[in-house]
């Protein structure tokens, strides 16, 4: 297994190209189950999660081919080959986003059997809203030996009011409703840019979806979807992570391809911390010009501050001037980075969903590890400013969601490398 080794103290200067978004790529790959022919995506990030989704689509019977490094073509089973409508436990347990095949398979083939994901490192994360929505569309949902089985001859449009704006839940329902008979309305829908991206792609395929990006989405079902070609949007969380790296190292970095309109809440908090952020032709420029000051953060569904940036901002709070209060409102257990940061000298106190961070810490390098993706990224950020050497172990978490993070950081001056653990 690999580890990442960072020597702290380097100032980051230069340009970092932002890859395609993981959380857009995963639903888009699942959406390729819907059209009648082969679809091609460009700007696909090279990530473990994307490879897992490709593996799942292959197991279902689809032909998945990586063209150039960032291009993927997904074709339905050819000839007499029948699709296998099941996502097995082995895959779902390594990647929860496997549940995204549920909606498209039921909509197109009338049946799907998907292992229930169970809890994960950051919280319980049930999929009750996905299932409630599919039931509202007329599907029969049963639980069988740890698997959910969903069946419907043809889904029928309905009004679905989500209990909370779930991102993948909304995406599953968009894909299901696209081929349902009649009109579906999703109320309290997730407004994340990745949901909007999926709706854009489904519309390119011939779906009739309006309102994506708002809390009310309307879908007029169609009988058939057609293959398309599409370049995936840039990853706003990868961009946000590198923005924090630039700010913490008093650097000057252009995040190439990043879209400011996807990062309003993050940019507002960076500015409130004293960081200079400017939208420029070709991306977002981030400069850590003065002293970092403490800011309070509450994670919320989009357009609120993203939970996927909470760990990174907490590291910045550790070295900022003053005290920050951070509230994690999306996942109940998303503070796994805290004990590890404590080992590096951070002063953080947790009480339930609230973390109080006393700033001004002088972080020191250590061997650390975390059990999820964004927590691991935050440890790399800590290593960039810590004195001496930091080793981040269990790098496979990082490889799920950051493409070549060490290469991108090295190119702007970080002293960072991958080594055998
Ligand atoms: N929830 C339910 N029932 C459901 C669905 C969700 O109670 O049926 C709860 C969850 O437990 C959570 C909240 O609703 O408390 C929001 O969860 P959501 O469903 O929106 O999360 P998700 O769709 O499972 C996606 C991203 C996550 C990101 C969250 C929140 C993908 C593949 N994953 O997860 O990304 O943190 O939205 O924005 O899109 C990451 O990239 O590191 C990551 C974890």
């Amino acid at each position: 297994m690999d580890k990442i080794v960072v020597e702290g103290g380097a100032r980051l200067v230069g340009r970092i190209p932002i890859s395609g978004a993981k959380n857009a790529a995963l639903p888009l790959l699942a959406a390729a189950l819907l059209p009648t022919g082969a679809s091609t995506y460009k700007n696909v990030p090279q990530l473990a999660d994307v490879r897992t989704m490709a593996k799942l689509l292959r197991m279902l019977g689809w032909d998945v081919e990586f063209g150039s490094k960032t291009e993927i073509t997904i074709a339905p089973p050819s000839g007499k080959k029948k699709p296998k409508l099941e996502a097995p436990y082995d895959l779902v347990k390594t990647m929860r986003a496997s549940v995204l095949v549920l909606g498209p398979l039921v909509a197109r083939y009338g049946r799907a059997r998907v292992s229930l994901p169970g809890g994960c490192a950051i919280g319980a994360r049930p999929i009750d809203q996905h299932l409630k929505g599919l039931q509202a569309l007329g599907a029969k949902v049963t639980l069988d030996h740890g698997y959910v089985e969903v069946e419907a001859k043809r889904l029928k449009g309905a009004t679905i009011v989500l209990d909370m704006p779930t991102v993948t839940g909304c995406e599953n329902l968009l894909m299901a409703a696209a081929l349902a008979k009649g009109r579906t309305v999703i109320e309290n829908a997730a407004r994340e840019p990745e949901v909007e991206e999926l709706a854009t792609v489904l519309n390119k395929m011939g779906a009739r979806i309006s309102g994506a990006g708002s809390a009310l989405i309307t879908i007029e079902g169609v009988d058939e979807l057609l293959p398309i070609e599409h370049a995936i949007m840039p990853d706003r969380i990868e961009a946000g992570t590198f923005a924090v790296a630039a700010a913490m190292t008093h650097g000057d970095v252009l995040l190439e391809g990043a879209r400011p309109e996807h990062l309003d809440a993050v940019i507002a908090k960076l500015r409130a911390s004293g960081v200079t952020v400017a939208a420029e032709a070709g991306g977002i420029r981030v400069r850590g010009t003065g002293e970092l000051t403490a800011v309070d953060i509450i994670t919320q569904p989009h357009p609120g501050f993203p939970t996927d940036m909470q760990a990174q901002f907490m590291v910045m709070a550790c070295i900022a001037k003053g005290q920050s209060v951070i509230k994690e409102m999306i996942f109940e257990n998303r503070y796994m980075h805290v004990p590890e940061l404590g080992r590096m000298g951070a002063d953080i106190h947790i009480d339930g969903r609230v973390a109080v961070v006393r700033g001004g810490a002088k972080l020191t390098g250590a061997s650390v590890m975390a059990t999820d993706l964004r927590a691991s990224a935050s440890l790399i950020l800590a290593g960039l400013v810590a004195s001496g050497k930091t080793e981040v172990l269990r790098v496979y978490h990082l490889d799920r969601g950051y493409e070549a993070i060490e290469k991108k950081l090295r190119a702007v001056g970080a002293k960072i490398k991958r080594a055998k653990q």
Side-chain angles (χ1 to χ4, degrees):
M1 201 187 295
D2 291 350
K3 63 182 176 185
I4 300 274
V5 184
V6 197
E7 270 306 322
R11 180 170 177 257
L12 304 189
V13 179
R15 306 159 82 92
I16 304 182
I18 301 304
S19 299
K22 168 180 82 86
N23 289 347
L26 298 176
L28 291 186
L29 262 66
L33 296 170
L34 289 164
T36 48
S39 288
T40 298
Y41 295 119
K42 299 184 171 178
N43 202 33
V44 180
Q46 293 184 63
L47 300 171
D49 274 8
V50 168
R51 288 189 289 275
T52 305
M53 187 57 98
K55 189 173 166 192
L56 174 55
L57 298 185
R58 283 194 187 111
M59 287 176 81
L60 297 172
W62 269 252
D63 189 24
V64 182
E65 274 196 30
F66 288 90
S68 74
K69 279 182 180 168
T70 57
E71 196 175 298
I72 194 170
T73 298
I74 302 161
S78 52
K80 286 194 178 135
K81 209 166 131 199
K82 284 239 174 329
K84 187 170 179 288
L85 307 171
E86 176 172 311
Y89 178 62
D90 274 355
L91 270 187
V92 180
K93 78 172 193 288
T94 58
M95 190 184 70
R96 302 176 54 81
S98 311
V99 299
L100 283 164
V101 301
L102 201 52
L105 288 181
V106 182
R108 179 129 188 249
Y109 297 95
R111 199 171 68 80
R113 190 167 188 267
V114 173
S115 169
L116 266 183
C120 84
I122 60 177
R125 301 183 77 181
I127 58 160
D128 56 304
Q129 300 300 306
H130 305 225
L131 301 179
K132 184 183 91 170
L134 290 170
Q135 272 170 327
L137 296 176
K140 190 175 139 222
V141 176
T142 45
L143 185 65
D144 172 48
H145 295 95
Y147 280 72
V148 271
E149 290 191 356
V150 183
E151 276 178 275
K153 265 219 173 90
R154 171 135 194 220
L155 295 169
K156 286 190 197 65
T159 295
I160 301 166
V161 186
L162 293 172
D163 288 358
M164 76 285 291
T166 155
V167 176
T168 47
C170 214
E171 290 166 347
N172 240 335
L173 296 174
L174 275 182
M175 293 186 277
L179 283 180
K181 193 170 170 51
R183 173 186 296 178
T184 298
V185 176
I186 306 177
E187 293 183 22
N188 198 21
R191 288 179 280 171
E192 270 68 5
E194 293 78 12
V195 175
E196 219 177 322
E197 172 92 341
L198 173 63
T200 302
V201 165
L202 292 171
N203 281 344
K204 271 190 176 180
M205 291 175 175
R208 293 173 58 206
I209 302 172
S210 58
S214 80
L216 188 79
I217 304 182
T218 305
I219 306 122
E220 302 287 350
V222 297
D223 292 337
E224 183 181 76
L225 294 171
L226 300 171
I228 50 122
E229 199 178 287
H230 181 79
I232 296 175
M233 63 179 265
D235 195 312
R236 64 194 169 100
I237 305 301
E238 187 199 24
T241 304
F242 289 133
V244 173
M248 288 178 68
T249 60
H250 299 290
D252 184 349
V253 171
L254 181 72
L255 306 165
E256 282 178 341
R259 295 205 196 135
E261 67 274 22
H262 291 169
L263 281 155
D264 284 344
V266 170
I267 291 173
K269 288 294 175 184
L270 283 168
R271 287 186 176 140
S273 310
V275 181
T276 306
V277 185
E280 287 191 2
I284 303 176
R285 186 169 171 198
V286 182
R287 279 173 292 161
T289 33
E291 190 179 34
L292 291 169
T293 50
V295 288
D296 293 341
I297 281 169
I298 303 180
T299 66
Q300 294 285 347
H302 194 80
F305 188 90
T307 172
D308 291 345
M309 284 300 301
Q310 176 260 109
Q312 300 89 316
F313 265 70
M314 188 179 285
V315 179
M316 191 162 73
C318 291
I319 61 163
K321 184 165 176 259
Q323 176 171 291
S324 306
V325 177
I326 297 177
K327 278 191 204 160
E328 172 54 59
M329 302 307 289
I330 308 295
F331 295 113
E332 68 274 17
N333 189 28
R334 213 177 192 181
Y335 285 139
M336 273 90 49
H337 41 290
V338 171
E340 299 300 296
L341 290 172
R343 296 183 51 246
M344 296 178 73
D347 183 351
I348 305 168
H349 176 78
I350 297 179
D351 187 1
R353 289 184 177 268
V354 179
V356 177
V357 186
R358 293 191 187 92
K362 300 270 175 277
L363 299 179
T364 52
S367 285
V368 285
M369 65 176 162
T371 46
D372 89 289
L373 168 61
R374 309 302 171 188
S376 302
S378 77
L379 298 175
I380 300 248
L381 296 177
L384 288 174
V385 296
S387 61
K389 192 165 88 176
T390 297
E391 291 185 326
V392 182
L393 309 176
R394 290 203 191 163
V395 155
Y396 60 87
H397 289 298
L398 275 166
D399 293 339
R400 291 186 60 173
Y402 289 92
E403 182 176 307
I405 189 169
E406 75 282 11
K407 288 188 190 139
K408 290 189 182 186
L409 286 170
R410 201 161 51 230
V412 290
K415 294 197 189 93
I416 182 168
K417 63 176 185 202
R418 183 178 286 256
K420 286 281 164 230
Q421 195 166 303

